[in-house]
C-alpha cells in the first residue's frame, strides 16, 4: 500500500496554547486521492491548513508531508506541496506569464516541461489573451486562475486547495475540476476545502467533516453517512453534513468557536 503523502497524527493547535482551536486531529491522504475538508465557518478548516503549511506550530502532535516533518527537512517538506488560498495573492507589477516563470524557477522545472505546461494551462484557463497583463489589472476571478495555474504548473505530490471556486466563472470551475481529476490520476494527492458540498461529493474519494475544532466524521460517503446515522446515496453528503454539525457545541473549543476563534 502506498505511504501517505500527508499524515496528521493527534494534532492539537491554534493561536494560543491556552485556548487551542484544534483538538486531537488525525487523518491521512494517500497518492491518487482527493479528500474533501468540510465544515461550518469556524470549524477549524483553515487553521488545520495553516498548520500543514507550516504557518502555525502544533501544540501537540505531528504533521508529515512526503514522509518528513517540517523540522526534519524543510526543503523536502515545502517542495512537496502547492497551495491555492481562498484569496489570491499576487505581485501587482508582474505579468501572468512572469508569475508562471517565477513558479517554474522556484520549483526547478526544466525549460521544456515548463513551456509545455505553461502553454497548456494558458489555454485551459482561457488566460492566453491576458498572459502579458499585470496582476493589478486582473479581475479577482482571473487572479484566482493565476494562483491555480501556478499550483498546477509545479505538479507536486500534494495539492492543498482552500475554497478554490470563489470568483471563478463556470468555465474556470470546469477547467479546475478537470485538471484535478487529471493530476489525481497521475498520482498526486489533493486536500480540498469547500462549502460547495455537491461538488465535493461528486469529485472527492473521501471526506473529513470538522465541527468545533474536531473531526466529527471521516471516510467514504457510506462511512460519513453511517456516522450521521443515515443511509448513503446520491446527494446524501449534504444531509449527513447537516446532521453531524447540528449537534450542540460542547466541550473543549466551544468558547473558541462561539467567539469566532476557529477558522
Amino acid at each position: 500500500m502506498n505511504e501517505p503523502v500527508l499524515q496528521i497524527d493527534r494534532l492539537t493547535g491554534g493561536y494560543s496554547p491556552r485556548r487551542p482551536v484544534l483538538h486531537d486531529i488525525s487523518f491521512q491522504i494517500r497518492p491518487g486521492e482527493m479528500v474533501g475538508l468540510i465544515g461550518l465557518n469556524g470549524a477549524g478548516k483553515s487553521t488545520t491548513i495553516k498548520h500543514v503549511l507550516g504557518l502555525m506550530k502544533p501544540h501537540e502532535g505531528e504533521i508529515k508531508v512526503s514522509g518528513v516533518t517540517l523540522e526534519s527537512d524543510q526543503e523536502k517538506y515545502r517542495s512537496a506541496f502547492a497551495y491555492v488560498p481562498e484569496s489570491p495573492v499576487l505581485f501587482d507589477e508582474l505579468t501572468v506569464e512572469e508569475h508562471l516563470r517565477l513558479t517554474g524557477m522556484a520549483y526547478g522545472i526544466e525549460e521544456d516541461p515548463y513551456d509545455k505546461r505553461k502553454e497548456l494551462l494558458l489555454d485551459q484557463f482561457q488566460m492566453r489573451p491576458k498572459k502579458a497583463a499585470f496582476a493589478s489589472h486582473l479581475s479577482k476571478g482571473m487572479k484566482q486562475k493565476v494562483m491555480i495555474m501556478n499550483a498546477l504548473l509545479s505538479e507536486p505530490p500534494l495539492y492543498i486547495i482552500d475554497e478554490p471556486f470563489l470568483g471563478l466563472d463556470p468555465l474556470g470551475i470546469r477547467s479546475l475540476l478537470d485538471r484535478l481529476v487529471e493530476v489525481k490520476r497521475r498520482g498526486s494527492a489533493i486536500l480540498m476545502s469547500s462549502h460547495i458540498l455537491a461538488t465535493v461529493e461528486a469529485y472527492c474519494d473521501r471526506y473529513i467533516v470538522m465541527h468545533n475544532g474536531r473531526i466529527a466524521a471521516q471516510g467514504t460517503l457510506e462511512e460519513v453517512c453511517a456516522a450521521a446515522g443515515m443511509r448513503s446515496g446520491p446527494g446524501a453528503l449534504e444531509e449527513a453534513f447537516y446532521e453531524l454539525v447540528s449537534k450542540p457545541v460542547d466541550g473543549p473549543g466551544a468558547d473558541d468557536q462561539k467567539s469566532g476563534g476557529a477558522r
Side-chain angles (χ1 to χ4, degrees):
M1 184 176 289
N2 291 330
E3 291 298 314
V5 177
L6 172 63
Q7 184 163 351
I8 299 180
D9 292 316
R10 304 185 68 84
L11 170 65
T12 294
Y15 301 88
S16 168
R18 295 181 180 180
R19 299 181 69 186
V21 170
L22 305 176
H23 306 272
D24 201 27
I25 301 292
S26 295
F27 66 87
Q28 55 184 230
I29 306 177
R30 296 186 180 278
E33 263 194 324
M34 189 186 307
V35 175
L37 182 65
I38 58 178
L40 300 174
N41 291 334
K45 304 184 302 298
S46 292
T47 306
T48 300
I49 288 173
K50 286 178 181 177
H51 278 82
V52 176
L53 297 177
L55 300 177
M56 301 178 73
K57 188 173 182 179
H59 303 165
E60 296 179 21
E62 185 177 68
I63 301 171
K64 287 184 177 180
V65 176
S66 287
V68 300
T69 63
L70 181 61
E71 293 75 18
S72 66
D73 191 335
Q74 284 200 29
E75 184 175 353
K76 182 178 179 180
Y77 185 101
R78 294 192 184 280
S79 64
F81 66 79
Y83 170 53
V84 179
E86 178 179 349
S87 299
V89 181
L90 300 174
F91 297 101
D92 285 346
E93 296 182 358
L94 291 184
T95 66
V96 171
E97 194 164 18
E98 286 169 343
H99 277 94
L100 293 171
R101 170 60 68 182
L102 186 62
T103 297
M105 293 170 62
Y107 280 88
I109 303 171
E110 295 184 0
E111 195 68 23
D112 188 51
Y114 165 78
D115 285 335
K116 290 179 180 177
R117 295 176 199 175
K118 179 193 72 173
E119 296 301 318
L120 180 63
L121 288 166
L122 287 170
D123 287 335
Q124 285 190 326
F125 286 90
Q126 301 84 42
M127 289 295 287
R128 185 171 294 280
K130 295 290 185 179
K131 69 178 184 178
F134 291 107
S136 59
H137 298 164
L138 301 177
S139 68
K140 181 181 178 181
M142 287 183 178
K143 289 179 180 178
Q144 187 70 347
K145 286 183 179 182
V146 176
M147 295 294 296
I148 292 167
M149 290 162 62
N150 275 286
L152 292 168
L153 181 76
S154 59
E155 296 190 356
L158 173 66
Y159 290 87
I160 302 169
I161 307 178
D162 192 4
E163 294 294 345
F165 308 121
L166 295 179
L168 288 184
D169 56 43
L171 276 177
I173 293 173
R174 181 61 182 268
S175 297
L176 172 59
L177 290 170
D178 286 347
R179 282 306 299 266
L180 291 180
V181 170
E182 189 178 314
V183 300
K184 188 181 80 162
R185 190 180 299 121
R186 290 202 304 263
S188 291
I190 302 164
L191 176 64
M192 181 172 71
S193 173
S194 177
H195 289 300
I196 306 177
L197 298 184
T199 301
V200 171
E201 179 177 339
Y203 283 86
C204 291
D205 304 294
R206 293 189 296 112
Y207 317 93
I208 300 167
V209 182
M210 293 196 68
H211 185 49
N212 190 24
R214 300 179 183 275
I215 293 179
Q218 66 173 306
T220 62
L221 181 61
E222 291 76 13
E223 290 167 332
V224 170
C225 287
M230 56 180 288
R231 299 175 67 177
S232 66
L237 180 63
E238 188 168 342
E239 291 303 318
F241 173 79
Y242 291 147
E243 181 65 27
L244 289 163
V245 303
S246 64
K247 298 173 183 178
V249 177
D250 293 312
D255 291 339
D256 284 331
Q257 189 184 38
K258 291 173 184 176
S259 64
R263 283 185 281 275

